[in-house]
Amino acid sequence: MSFLSRISSITGPLIAVRHMAKVNNCRLFNYQDGVKRFPVPEDKVSWSVDWPEYQPVDHTHPAVLRGPVWADLDFRKVTPDTPPKYNELDGNVDRKSYSGTYEIVNGLPRNPIGRTGMCGRGLLGRWGPNHAVDPIVSRWKRGEDGAKTMMEGKPVLEFVAIMRNDTRDWAIPGGMIDPGDTVSRTLRKEFGEEAMNSLEATEEEKKEIEAHVNDLFKAGDEVYSGYVDDIRNTDNSWMETVAMNFHDETGSTFNKIKLKAGDDAGDVCWMEASSKLNLYASHLDFIETVVKQRNAAW
Ligand code: BGC
Protein backbone atom coordinates (compact mmCIF):
# COMPACT_ATOMS: atom_id res chain seq x y z
CA MET A 1 0.00 0.00 0.00
CA SER A 2 1.26 3.44 -0.68
CA PHE A 3 1.11 5.79 2.27
CA LEU A 4 2.14 8.46 -0.17
CA SER A 5 -0.86 8.11 -2.42
CA ARG A 6 -2.72 10.63 -0.34
CA ILE A 7 -5.05 12.85 -2.21
CA SER A 8 -4.47 16.57 -1.95
CA SER A 9 -6.95 18.78 -0.26
CA ILE A 10 -9.28 21.46 -1.47
CA THR A 11 -9.94 22.85 1.95
CA GLY A 12 -6.50 22.71 3.52
CA PRO A 13 -5.20 19.77 5.51
CA LEU A 14 -6.98 18.50 8.57
CA ILE A 15 -4.69 17.72 11.45
CA ALA A 16 -4.13 13.97 11.55
CA VAL A 17 -4.71 12.47 14.96
CA ARG A 18 -1.86 10.08 15.52
CA HIS A 19 -2.55 8.69 18.97
CA MET A 20 -5.93 7.09 19.11
CA ALA A 21 -4.69 4.03 20.87
CA LYS A 22 -7.38 2.97 23.27
CA VAL A 23 -7.30 -0.54 24.63
CA ASN A 24 -10.93 -1.21 25.41
CA ASN A 25 -12.38 -3.20 22.52
CA CYS A 26 -9.30 -5.35 22.18
CA ARG A 27 -9.66 -6.54 25.77
CA LEU A 28 -13.37 -7.44 25.57
CA PHE A 29 -13.71 -10.74 27.40
CA ASN A 30 -15.99 -12.44 24.83
CA TYR A 31 -14.14 -12.73 21.56
CA GLN A 32 -16.36 -14.73 19.20
CA ASP A 33 -17.99 -18.17 19.03
CA GLY A 34 -17.70 -18.57 22.80
CA VAL A 35 -13.93 -17.94 22.83
CA LYS A 36 -12.93 -15.91 25.89
CA ARG A 37 -9.82 -13.81 26.38
CA PHE A 38 -7.57 -14.04 29.41
CA PRO A 39 -8.79 -11.03 31.43
CA VAL A 40 -6.29 -8.16 31.35
CA PRO A 41 -6.81 -5.36 33.87
CA GLU A 42 -5.96 -1.84 32.73
CA ASP A 43 -2.78 -1.67 34.81
CA LYS A 44 -1.41 -4.85 33.19
CA VAL A 45 -1.88 -3.81 29.57
CA SER A 46 1.63 -2.46 29.12
CA TRP A 47 4.30 -5.00 28.22
CA SER A 48 6.66 -3.08 30.50
CA VAL A 49 4.65 -4.25 33.53
CA ASP A 50 6.00 -7.59 34.67
CA TRP A 51 3.19 -10.16 34.88
CA PRO A 52 4.42 -13.79 35.10
CA GLU A 53 0.85 -15.09 35.58
CA TYR A 54 -0.25 -13.85 32.15
CA GLN A 55 -1.58 -16.76 30.04
CA PRO A 56 -3.20 -15.43 26.89
CA VAL A 57 -5.69 -17.72 25.17
CA ASP A 58 -4.18 -19.07 21.95
CA HIS A 59 -6.77 -18.68 19.22
CA THR A 60 -6.75 -18.48 15.44
CA HIS A 61 -10.07 -18.91 13.66
CA PRO A 62 -10.37 -22.02 11.40
CA ALA A 63 -11.21 -19.74 8.44
CA VAL A 64 -7.79 -18.11 8.88
CA LEU A 65 -6.01 -21.43 9.34
CA ARG A 66 -7.48 -22.71 6.06
CA GLY A 67 -5.05 -20.28 4.38
CA PRO A 68 -7.15 -17.92 2.23
CA VAL A 69 -5.26 -15.37 0.09
CA TRP A 70 -5.72 -12.66 2.69
CA ALA A 71 -4.03 -14.70 5.45
CA ASP A 72 -0.46 -15.69 6.30
CA LEU A 73 0.61 -19.23 7.00
CA ASP A 74 0.84 -20.38 10.59
CA PHE A 75 4.46 -19.36 10.91
CA ARG A 76 4.67 -21.14 14.27
CA LYS A 77 4.15 -24.49 12.53
CA VAL A 78 5.21 -23.96 8.93
CA THR A 79 8.56 -22.51 7.88
CA PRO A 80 8.03 -20.74 4.57
CA ASP A 81 10.79 -20.74 1.91
CA THR A 82 11.38 -17.08 2.58
CA PRO A 83 10.70 -15.98 6.16
CA PRO A 84 8.28 -13.04 6.59
CA LYS A 85 9.94 -9.63 6.56
CA TYR A 86 8.34 -7.91 9.52
CA ASN A 87 8.42 -4.11 9.72
CA GLU A 88 8.98 -3.97 5.95
CA LEU A 89 7.15 -4.11 2.68
CA ASP A 90 7.29 -7.89 2.25
CA GLY A 91 6.72 -8.56 -1.46
CA ASN A 92 3.29 -7.02 -1.92
CA VAL A 93 2.25 -7.48 1.73
CA ASP A 94 2.72 -4.34 3.79
CA ARG A 95 4.05 -5.40 7.20
CA LYS A 96 5.02 -1.85 8.25
CA SER A 97 3.18 -0.29 11.15
CA TYR A 98 2.08 3.35 11.51
CA SER A 99 3.24 3.08 15.13
CA GLY A 100 6.87 2.63 14.08
CA THR A 101 8.99 -0.47 14.55
CA TYR A 102 7.18 -3.21 16.43
CA GLU A 103 8.98 -5.84 18.43
CA ILE A 104 9.42 -9.44 17.36
CA VAL A 105 9.27 -11.75 20.35
CA ASN A 106 9.84 -15.50 19.94
CA GLY A 107 9.66 -14.98 16.18
CA LEU A 108 6.26 -13.23 16.26
CA PRO A 109 5.16 -9.57 16.10
CA ARG A 110 4.10 -8.09 19.42
CA ASN A 111 1.08 -5.78 19.63
CA PRO A 112 2.62 -2.30 20.13
CA ILE A 113 -0.18 -1.18 22.45
CA GLY A 114 0.04 -4.03 24.94
CA ARG A 115 -1.61 -7.21 26.16
CA THR A 116 -5.01 -8.27 24.79
CA GLY A 117 -5.53 -11.61 26.57
CA MET A 118 -5.21 -13.56 23.31
CA CYS A 119 -2.27 -14.78 21.23
CA GLY A 120 -2.36 -16.19 17.71
CA ARG A 121 -4.27 -14.28 15.04
CA GLY A 122 -7.92 -14.65 16.13
CA LEU A 123 -9.97 -13.51 13.15
CA LEU A 124 -7.18 -11.57 11.48
CA GLY A 125 -5.17 -12.88 8.55
CA ARG A 126 -1.78 -11.25 9.03
CA TRP A 127 0.75 -11.59 11.82
CA GLY A 128 1.44 -7.99 12.85
CA PRO A 129 -0.46 -5.09 11.27
CA ASN A 130 -3.56 -5.74 9.14
CA HIS A 131 -4.15 -2.65 7.01
CA ALA A 132 -7.57 -1.11 6.28
CA VAL A 133 -8.97 2.18 4.96
CA ASP A 134 -12.00 4.24 5.99
CA PRO A 135 -13.60 6.76 3.60
CA ILE A 136 -15.61 9.40 5.46
CA VAL A 137 -17.88 10.94 2.82
CA SER A 138 -19.55 14.04 4.25
CA ARG A 139 -21.81 16.97 3.38
CA TRP A 140 -23.83 19.57 5.27
CA LYS A 141 -27.37 18.64 6.25
CA ARG A 142 -29.77 20.99 4.46
CA GLY A 143 -33.49 21.76 4.68
CA GLU A 144 -35.83 21.73 1.66
CA ASP A 145 -34.92 25.36 0.94
CA GLY A 146 -31.25 24.37 0.66
CA ALA A 147 -30.19 26.21 3.82
CA LYS A 148 -27.81 24.44 6.19
CA THR A 149 -29.51 22.85 9.21
CA MET A 150 -28.10 24.47 12.36
CA MET A 151 -27.84 23.16 15.93
CA GLU A 152 -26.70 25.42 18.76
CA GLY A 153 -25.30 27.82 16.19
CA LYS A 154 -23.32 25.21 14.26
CA PRO A 155 -24.10 23.42 10.99
CA VAL A 156 -24.99 19.74 11.17
CA LEU A 157 -22.67 17.36 9.28
CA GLU A 158 -23.87 14.19 7.58
CA PHE A 159 -21.69 11.25 6.55
CA VAL A 160 -22.29 8.02 4.69
CA ALA A 161 -22.69 5.12 7.13
CA ILE A 162 -23.23 1.44 6.47
CA MET A 163 -24.50 -1.32 8.73
CA ARG A 164 -21.89 -4.09 8.90
CA ASN A 165 -23.35 -7.53 8.31
CA ASP A 166 -20.87 -9.19 10.68
CA THR A 167 -21.54 -7.24 13.88
CA ARG A 168 -24.73 -5.30 12.89
CA ASP A 169 -22.90 -2.12 13.98
CA TRP A 170 -23.18 1.12 12.05
CA ALA A 171 -19.80 2.01 10.60
CA ILE A 172 -17.84 3.93 8.00
CA PRO A 173 -17.77 1.86 4.77
CA GLY A 174 -14.14 0.77 5.16
CA GLY A 175 -12.30 -2.36 4.24
CA MET A 176 -9.02 -4.18 4.08
CA ILE A 177 -6.26 -3.30 1.64
CA ASP A 178 -5.52 -6.24 -0.65
CA PRO A 179 -1.85 -7.14 -1.15
CA GLY A 180 -0.32 -4.80 -3.70
CA ASP A 181 -3.24 -2.38 -3.64
CA THR A 182 -3.06 1.28 -2.56
CA VAL A 183 -4.91 3.36 0.01
CA SER A 184 -6.59 5.54 -2.60
CA ARG A 185 -7.75 2.64 -4.80
CA THR A 186 -9.10 0.73 -1.80
CA LEU A 187 -10.98 3.80 -0.53
CA ARG A 188 -12.81 4.03 -3.85
CA LYS A 189 -13.34 0.28 -4.16
CA GLU A 190 -14.79 -0.16 -0.66
CA PHE A 191 -17.10 2.83 -0.99
CA GLY A 192 -18.32 1.61 -4.39
CA GLU A 193 -18.91 -1.92 -3.13
CA GLU A 194 -20.47 -1.21 0.25
CA ALA A 195 -22.31 2.09 -0.23
CA MET A 196 -23.20 1.89 -3.93
CA ASN A 197 -23.38 -1.89 -4.50
CA SER A 198 -21.03 -1.82 -7.47
CA LEU A 199 -20.52 -5.60 -7.26
CA GLU A 200 -24.09 -6.28 -8.38
CA ALA A 201 -24.35 -3.44 -10.88
CA THR A 202 -24.59 -3.89 -14.65
CA GLU A 203 -21.58 -2.88 -16.74
CA GLU A 204 -23.24 0.41 -17.57
CA GLU A 205 -24.15 1.13 -13.94
CA LYS A 206 -20.61 0.19 -12.89
CA LYS A 207 -19.20 2.87 -15.19
CA GLU A 208 -21.62 5.41 -13.76
CA ILE A 209 -20.71 4.47 -10.17
CA GLU A 210 -17.01 4.65 -10.99
CA ALA A 211 -17.40 8.12 -12.47
CA HIS A 212 -19.34 9.32 -9.41
CA VAL A 213 -16.83 7.81 -6.97
CA ASN A 214 -13.92 9.35 -8.84
CA ASP A 215 -15.69 12.68 -8.67
CA LEU A 216 -16.40 12.31 -4.94
CA PHE A 217 -12.88 11.21 -4.12
CA LYS A 218 -10.99 13.82 -6.14
CA ALA A 219 -9.75 15.55 -3.02
CA GLY A 220 -9.56 14.31 0.53
CA ASP A 221 -8.08 15.10 3.92
CA GLU A 222 -6.35 12.59 6.12
CA VAL A 223 -8.18 12.27 9.42
CA TYR A 224 -6.22 9.45 11.02
CA SER A 225 -3.61 6.85 10.28
CA GLY A 226 -2.57 4.30 12.84
CA TYR A 227 -3.49 1.54 15.23
CA VAL A 228 -7.20 0.83 15.77
CA ASP A 229 -8.80 -0.45 18.96
CA ASP A 230 -10.57 -3.28 17.12
CA ILE A 231 -12.37 -6.20 18.80
CA ARG A 232 -10.39 -8.66 16.63
CA ASN A 233 -6.92 -7.59 17.82
CA THR A 234 -4.63 -10.04 19.55
CA ASP A 235 -1.15 -9.91 21.05
CA ASN A 236 0.30 -10.84 17.63
CA SER A 237 -2.16 -9.33 15.11
CA TRP A 238 -3.87 -5.97 15.06
CA MET A 239 -5.77 -3.55 12.83
CA GLU A 240 -4.41 -0.29 11.47
CA THR A 241 -6.27 2.12 9.22
CA VAL A 242 -6.09 5.30 7.20
CA ALA A 243 -9.28 7.36 7.53
CA MET A 244 -9.80 10.04 4.87
CA ASN A 245 -12.49 12.68 4.68
CA PHE A 246 -14.10 13.55 1.35
CA HIS A 247 -16.30 16.55 1.97
CA ASP A 248 -18.72 18.22 -0.41
CA GLU A 249 -19.04 21.80 0.78
CA THR A 250 -21.88 22.74 -1.58
CA GLY A 251 -23.62 19.36 -1.78
CA SER A 252 -23.68 19.58 -5.55
CA THR A 253 -21.66 16.40 -6.17
CA PHE A 254 -22.79 14.14 -3.37
CA ASN A 255 -26.49 14.86 -3.86
CA LYS A 256 -26.26 13.08 -7.20
CA ILE A 257 -25.11 9.74 -5.84
CA LYS A 258 -27.50 6.87 -5.24
CA LEU A 259 -26.69 4.97 -2.07
CA LYS A 260 -27.32 1.23 -2.14
CA ALA A 261 -25.89 -1.24 0.37
CA GLY A 262 -23.78 -4.07 -1.02
CA ASP A 263 -21.03 -6.62 -0.23
CA ASP A 264 -20.41 -6.70 3.58
CA ALA A 265 -23.02 -3.97 4.22
CA GLY A 266 -26.67 -4.66 5.07
CA ASP A 267 -27.85 -1.05 4.97
CA VAL A 268 -26.58 2.40 4.06
CA CYS A 269 -27.67 5.97 4.82
CA TRP A 270 -26.60 9.59 5.26
CA MET A 271 -26.18 9.73 9.04
CA GLU A 272 -26.13 12.88 11.18
CA ALA A 273 -22.78 13.22 12.94
CA SER A 274 -23.42 13.30 16.68
CA SER A 275 -21.64 12.47 19.93
CA LYS A 276 -24.59 10.22 20.76
CA LEU A 277 -23.86 7.72 18.00
CA ASN A 278 -22.58 4.27 18.66
CA LEU A 279 -20.24 3.20 15.86
CA TYR A 280 -17.91 0.29 15.12
CA ALA A 281 -14.32 0.21 16.46
CA SER A 282 -12.75 3.73 16.52
CA HIS A 283 -15.12 5.17 13.94
CA LEU A 284 -16.80 7.65 16.29
CA ASP A 285 -13.37 9.11 17.07
CA PHE A 286 -12.77 9.65 13.35
CA ILE A 287 -16.17 11.33 12.94
CA GLU A 288 -15.48 13.54 15.95
CA THR A 289 -12.17 14.64 14.41
CA VAL A 290 -13.93 15.61 11.18
CA VAL A 291 -16.68 17.44 13.09
CA LYS A 292 -14.18 19.40 15.19
CA GLN A 293 -12.06 20.34 12.20
CA ARG A 294 -15.06 21.51 10.20
CA ASN A 295 -16.56 23.27 13.22
CA ALA A 296 -19.83 21.35 12.93
CA ALA A 297 -22.45 20.61 15.60
CA TRP A 298 -21.58 17.70 17.89
C1 BGC B 1 -13.01 -2.08 8.71
C2 BGC B 1 -12.62 -0.65 8.93
C3 BGC B 1 -12.08 -0.50 10.35
C4 BGC B 1 -10.94 -1.46 10.54
C5 BGC B 1 -10.38 -1.37 11.93
C6 BGC B 1 -11.86 -2.99 8.98
O1 BGC B 1 -12.30 -4.32 8.89
O2 BGC B 1 -13.51 -2.28 7.42
O3 BGC B 1 -13.75 0.16 8.79
O4 BGC B 1 -11.67 0.81 10.65
O5 BGC B 1 -11.38 -2.78 10.30
O6 BGC B 1 -11.34 -1.52 12.91
Side-chain angles (χ1 to χ4, degrees), residues 128-155:
N130 287 253
H131 290 286
V133 296
D134 285 297
I136 303 164
V137 168
S138 64
R139 67 177 183 192
W140 296 114
K141 183 174 180 174
R142 291 173 194 273
E144 295 208 334
D145 58 354
K148 286 182 193 168
T149 306
M150 306 295 284
M151 213 172 70
E152 289 164 6
K154 290 187 172 175

mmCIF file of all heavy atoms in Angstrom, residues 128-155:
data_model
loop_
_atom_site.group_PDB
_atom_site.id
_atom_site.type_symbol
_atom_site.label_atom_id
_atom_site.label_comp_id
_atom_site.label_asym_id
_atom_site.label_seq_id
_atom_site.Cartn_x
_atom_site.Cartn_y
_atom_site.Cartn_z
ATOM 1 N N GLY A 128 1.059 -9.399 12.859
ATOM 2 C CA GLY A 128 1.443 -7.987 12.851
ATOM 3 C C GLY A 128 0.294 -7.129 12.357
ATOM 4 O O GLY A 128 -0.875 -7.469 12.538
ATOM 5 N N PRO A 129 0.612 -5.998 11.690
ATOM 6 C CA PRO A 129 -0.463 -5.089 11.272
ATOM 7 C C PRO A 129 -1.308 -5.642 10.126
ATOM 8 O O PRO A 129 -0.778 -6.262 9.207
ATOM 9 C CB PRO A 129 0.292 -3.832 10.822
ATOM 10 C CG PRO A 129 1.677 -4.287 10.523
ATOM 11 C CD PRO A 129 1.955 -5.472 11.390
ATOM 12 N N ASN A 130 -2.599 -5.417 10.206
ATOM 13 C CA ASN A 130 -3.556 -5.737 9.138
ATOM 14 C C ASN A 130 -4.108 -4.385 8.701
ATOM 15 O O ASN A 130 -4.733 -3.679 9.499
ATOM 16 C CB ASN A 130 -4.689 -6.615 9.678
ATOM 17 C CG ASN A 130 -4.243 -8.038 9.956
ATOM 18 O OD1 ASN A 130 -4.585 -8.960 9.243
ATOM 19 N ND2 ASN A 130 -3.430 -8.228 11.005
ATOM 20 N N HIS A 131 -3.858 -4.019 7.437
ATOM 21 C CA HIS A 131 -4.150 -2.645 7.008
ATOM 22 C C HIS A 131 -5.528 -2.485 6.371
ATOM 23 O O HIS A 131 -5.909 -3.261 5.499
ATOM 24 C CB HIS A 131 -3.084 -2.160 6.030
ATOM 25 C CG HIS A 131 -1.764 -1.931 6.691
ATOM 26 N ND1 HIS A 131 -1.537 -0.846 7.515
ATOM 27 C CD2 HIS A 131 -0.612 -2.633 6.675
ATOM 28 C CE1 HIS A 131 -0.292 -0.896 7.962
ATOM 29 N NE2 HIS A 131 0.286 -1.975 7.477
ATOM 30 N N ALA A 132 -6.237 -1.422 6.827
ATOM 31 C CA ALA A 132 -7.569 -1.112 6.278
ATOM 32 C C ALA A 132 -7.617 0.363 5.888
ATOM 33 O O ALA A 132 -6.665 1.123 6.134
ATOM 34 C CB ALA A 132 -8.635 -1.407 7.331
ATOM 35 N N VAL A 133 -8.726 0.755 5.266
ATOM 36 C CA VAL A 133 -8.975 2.177 4.960
ATOM 37 C C VAL A 133 -10.407 2.514 5.346
ATOM 38 O O VAL A 133 -11.266 1.637 5.371
ATOM 39 C CB VAL A 133 -8.817 2.496 3.450
ATOM 40 C CG1 VAL A 133 -7.395 2.281 2.986
ATOM 41 C CG2 VAL A 133 -9.794 1.709 2.612
ATOM 42 N N ASP A 134 -10.652 3.786 5.637
ATOM 43 C CA ASP A 134 -12.001 4.236 5.990
ATOM 44 C C ASP A 134 -12.338 5.551 5.297
ATOM 45 O O ASP A 134 -11.821 6.603 5.688
ATOM 46 C CB ASP A 134 -12.106 4.404 7.513
ATOM 47 C CG ASP A 134 -12.206 3.070 8.211
ATOM 48 O OD1 ASP A 134 -13.188 2.362 7.960
ATOM 49 O OD2 ASP A 134 -11.299 2.723 8.981
ATOM 50 N N PRO A 135 -13.200 5.515 4.268
ATOM 51 C CA PRO A 135 -13.602 6.758 3.600
ATOM 52 C C PRO A 135 -14.769 7.435 4.345
ATOM 53 O O PRO A 135 -15.825 6.838 4.505
ATOM 54 C CB PRO A 135 -14.057 6.282 2.212
ATOM 55 C CG PRO A 135 -14.471 4.854 2.402
ATOM 56 C CD PRO A 135 -13.762 4.320 3.614
ATOM 57 N N ILE A 136 -14.529 8.651 4.790
ATOM 58 C CA ILE A 136 -15.607 9.402 5.458
ATOM 59 C C ILE A 136 -16.129 10.415 4.445
ATOM 60 O O ILE A 136 -15.496 11.437 4.186
ATOM 61 C CB ILE A 136 -15.087 10.113 6.726
ATOM 62 C CG1 ILE A 136 -14.478 9.076 7.674
ATOM 63 C CG2 ILE A 136 -16.209 10.901 7.398
ATOM 64 C CD1 ILE A 136 -13.613 9.680 8.761
ATOM 65 N N VAL A 137 -17.275 10.092 3.854
ATOM 66 C CA VAL A 137 -17.876 10.937 2.821
ATOM 67 C C VAL A 137 -18.893 11.837 3.527
ATOM 68 O O VAL A 137 -19.823 11.347 4.161
ATOM 69 C CB VAL A 137 -18.523 10.036 1.742
ATOM 70 C CG1 VAL A 137 -19.404 10.844 0.813
ATOM 71 C CG2 VAL A 137 -17.424 9.314 0.959
ATOM 72 N N SER A 138 -18.685 13.149 3.465
ATOM 73 C CA SER A 138 -19.551 14.039 4.246
ATOM 74 C C SER A 138 -20.102 15.205 3.435
ATOM 75 O O SER A 138 -19.565 15.560 2.381
ATOM 76 C CB SER A 138 -18.776 14.574 5.464
ATOM 77 O OG SER A 138 -17.683 15.363 5.038
ATOM 78 N N ARG A 139 -21.188 15.770 3.959
ATOM 79 C CA ARG A 139 -21.807 16.972 3.375
ATOM 80 C C ARG A 139 -22.547 17.676 4.521
ATOM 81 O O ARG A 139 -22.697 17.119 5.617
ATOM 82 C CB ARG A 139 -22.801 16.581 2.270
ATOM 83 C CG ARG A 139 -24.013 15.833 2.804
ATOM 84 C CD ARG A 139 -25.045 15.510 1.728
ATOM 85 N NE ARG A 139 -26.211 14.868 2.329
ATOM 86 C CZ ARG A 139 -27.169 14.264 1.644
ATOM 87 N NH1 ARG A 139 -27.118 14.202 0.332
ATOM 88 N NH2 ARG A 139 -28.196 13.717 2.269
ATOM 89 N N TRP A 140 -23.033 18.863 4.260
ATOM 90 C CA TRP A 140 -23.828 19.569 5.270
ATOM 91 C C TRP A 140 -25.280 19.139 5.146
ATOM 92 O O TRP A 140 -25.796 18.996 4.034
ATOM 93 C CB TRP A 140 -23.725 21.089 5.107
ATOM 94 C CG TRP A 140 -22.326 21.581 5.332
ATOM 95 C CD1 TRP A 140 -21.504 22.153 4.403
ATOM 96 C CD2 TRP A 140 -21.564 21.506 6.546
ATOM 97 N NE1 TRP A 140 -20.277 22.435 4.958
ATOM 98 C CE2 TRP A 140 -20.293 22.052 6.267
ATOM 99 C CE3 TRP A 140 -21.828 21.034 7.828
ATOM 100 C CZ2 TRP A 140 -19.287 22.141 7.242
ATOM 101 C CZ3 TRP A 140 -20.821 21.112 8.797
ATOM 102 C CH2 TRP A 140 -19.591 21.662 8.500
ATOM 103 N N LYS A 141 -25.941 18.948 6.289
ATOM 104 C CA LYS A 141 -27.369 18.642 6.253
ATOM 105 C C LYS A 141 -28.106 19.918 5.861
ATOM 106 O O LYS A 141 -27.788 20.998 6.363
ATOM 107 C CB LYS A 141 -27.828 18.164 7.646
ATOM 108 C CG LYS A 141 -29.280 17.763 7.653
ATOM 109 C CD LYS A 141 -29.684 17.165 8.968
ATOM 110 C CE LYS A 141 -31.158 16.809 8.841
ATOM 111 N NZ LYS A 141 -31.658 16.107 9.977
ATOM 112 N N ARG A 142 -29.049 19.803 4.933
ATOM 113 C CA ARG A 142 -29.772 20.989 4.461
ATOM 114 C C ARG A 142 -31.277 20.754 4.506
ATOM 115 O O ARG A 142 -31.745 19.623 4.336
ATOM 116 C CB ARG A 142 -29.368 21.322 3.020
ATOM 117 C CG ARG A 142 -27.941 21.832 2.911
ATOM 118 C CD ARG A 142 -27.498 22.009 1.470
ATOM 119 N NE ARG A 142 -26.045 22.179 1.415
ATOM 120 C CZ ARG A 142 -25.417 23.346 1.542
ATOM 121 N NH1 ARG A 142 -26.109 24.460 1.682
ATOM 122 N NH2 ARG A 142 -24.099 23.405 1.499
ATOM 123 N N GLY A 143 -32.022 21.832 4.712
ATOM 124 C CA GLY A 143 -33.487 21.762 4.680
ATOM 125 C C GLY A 143 -33.955 21.811 3.224
ATOM 126 O O GLY A 143 -33.133 21.917 2.306
ATOM 127 N N GLU A 144 -35.289 21.752 3.038
ATOM 128 C CA GLU A 144 -35.829 21.732 1.662
ATOM 129 C C GLU A 144 -35.453 22.987 0.883
ATOM 130 O O GLU A 144 -35.308 22.948 -0.336
ATOM 131 C CB GLU A 144 -37.346 21.580 1.714
ATOM 132 C CG GLU A 144 -37.692 20.231 2.315
ATOM 133 C CD GLU A 144 -38.997 19.668 1.848
ATOM 134 O OE1 GLU A 144 -39.882 20.462 1.468
ATOM 135 O OE2 GLU A 144 -39.105 18.432 1.897
ATOM 136 N N ASP A 145 -35.274 24.103 1.612
ATOM 137 C CA ASP A 145 -34.919 25.362 0.944
ATOM 138 C C ASP A 145 -33.422 25.441 0.622
ATOM 139 O O ASP A 145 -32.947 26.441 0.080
ATOM 140 C CB ASP A 145 -35.313 26.552 1.842
ATOM 141 C CG ASP A 145 -34.634 26.486 3.203
ATOM 142 O OD1 ASP A 145 -33.957 25.456 3.491
ATOM 143 O OD2 ASP A 145 -34.761 27.447 3.983
ATOM 144 N N GLY A 146 -32.685 24.392 0.981
ATOM 145 C CA GLY A 146 -31.250 24.365 0.661
ATOM 146 C C GLY A 146 -30.383 24.977 1.745
ATOM 147 O O GLY A 146 -29.157 24.879 1.671
ATOM 148 N N ALA A 147 -31.001 25.574 2.763
ATOM 149 C CA ALA A 147 -30.192 26.206 3.817
ATOM 150 C C ALA A 147 -29.640 25.139 4.764
ATOM 151 O O ALA A 147 -30.290 24.123 5.016
ATOM 152 C CB ALA A 147 -31.051 27.194 4.600
ATOM 153 N N LYS A 148 -28.437 25.397 5.276
ATOM 154 C CA LYS A 148 -27.813 24.436 6.194
ATOM 155 C C LYS A 148 -28.649 24.299 7.466
ATOM 156 O O LYS A 148 -29.107 25.311 8.014
ATOM 157 C CB LYS A 148 -26.413 24.916 6.595
ATOM 158 C CG LYS A 148 -25.387 24.765 5.505
ATOM 159 C CD LYS A 148 -24.029 25.214 6.033
ATOM 160 C CE LYS A 148 -23.042 25.371 4.902
ATOM 161 N NZ LYS A 148 -21.827 26.056 5.295
ATOM 162 N N THR A 149 -28.809 23.077 7.947
ATOM 163 C CA THR A 149 -29.514 22.848 9.208
ATOM 164 C C THR A 149 -28.558 23.187 10.343
ATOM 165 O O THR A 149 -27.412 22.700 10.354
ATOM 166 C CB THR A 149 -29.936 21.363 9.316
ATOM 167 O OG1 THR A 149 -30.679 21.037 8.151
ATOM 168 C CG2 THR A 149 -30.746 21.087 10.564
ATOM 169 N N MET A 150 -28.992 24.039 11.285
ATOM 170 C CA MET A 150 -28.101 24.474 12.361
ATOM 171 C C MET A 150 -28.530 23.864 13.697
ATOM 172 O O MET A 150 -29.714 23.603 13.926
ATOM 173 C CB MET A 150 -28.128 26.003 12.491
ATOM 174 C CG MET A 150 -27.834 26.759 11.213
ATOM 175 S SD MET A 150 -26.156 26.514 10.596
ATOM 176 C CE MET A 150 -25.238 27.558 11.717
ATOM 177 N N MET A 151 -27.551 23.630 14.571
ATOM 178 C CA MET A 151 -27.844 23.161 15.928
ATOM 179 C C MET A 151 -26.915 23.908 16.868
ATOM 180 O O MET A 151 -25.689 23.866 16.658
ATOM 181 C CB MET A 151 -27.605 21.654 16.027
ATOM 182 C CG MET A 151 -28.542 20.962 16.992
ATOM 183 S SD MET A 151 -28.344 19.184 16.882
ATOM 184 C CE MET A 151 -26.748 18.945 17.606
ATOM 185 N N GLU A 152 -27.492 24.597 17.833
ATOM 186 C CA GLU A 152 -26.705 25.417 18.762
ATOM 187 C C GLU A 152 -25.674 26.279 18.022
ATOM 188 O O GLU A 152 -24.489 26.330 18.364
ATOM 189 C CB GLU A 152 -26.022 24.524 19.803
ATOM 190 C CG GLU A 152 -27.031 23.939 20.783
ATOM 191 C CD GLU A 152 -26.478 22.769 21.582
ATOM 192 O OE1 GLU A 152 -25.280 22.468 21.466
ATOM 193 O OE2 GLU A 152 -27.273 22.159 22.311
ATOM 194 N N GLY A 153 -26.142 26.878 16.935
ATOM 195 C CA GLY A 153 -25.303 27.820 16.191
ATOM 196 C C GLY A 153 -24.293 27.196 15.250
ATOM 197 O O GLY A 153 -23.511 27.907 14.630
ATOM 198 N N LYS A 154 -24.296 25.855 15.156
ATOM 199 C CA LYS A 154 -23.317 25.210 14.263
ATOM 200 C C LYS A 154 -24.020 24.332 13.230
ATOM 201 O O LYS A 154 -25.037 23.701 13.546
ATOM 202 C CB LYS A 154 -22.350 24.353 15.080
ATOM 203 C CG LYS A 154 -21.416 25.184 15.918
ATOM 204 C CD LYS A 154 -20.382 24.323 16.570
ATOM 205 C CE LYS A 154 -19.334 25.199 17.237
ATOM 206 N NZ LYS A 154 -18.371 24.429 17.978
ATOM 207 N N PRO A 155 -23.467 24.254 12.018
ATOM 208 C CA PRO A 155 -24.101 23.419 10.991
ATOM 209 C C PRO A 155 -23.957 21.918 11.307
ATOM 210 O O PRO A 155 -22.964 21.500 11.893
ATOM 211 C CB PRO A 155 -23.325 23.774 9.712
ATOM 212 C CG PRO A 155 -22.012 24.289 10.196
ATOM 213 C CD PRO A 155 -22.246 24.922 11.536
#
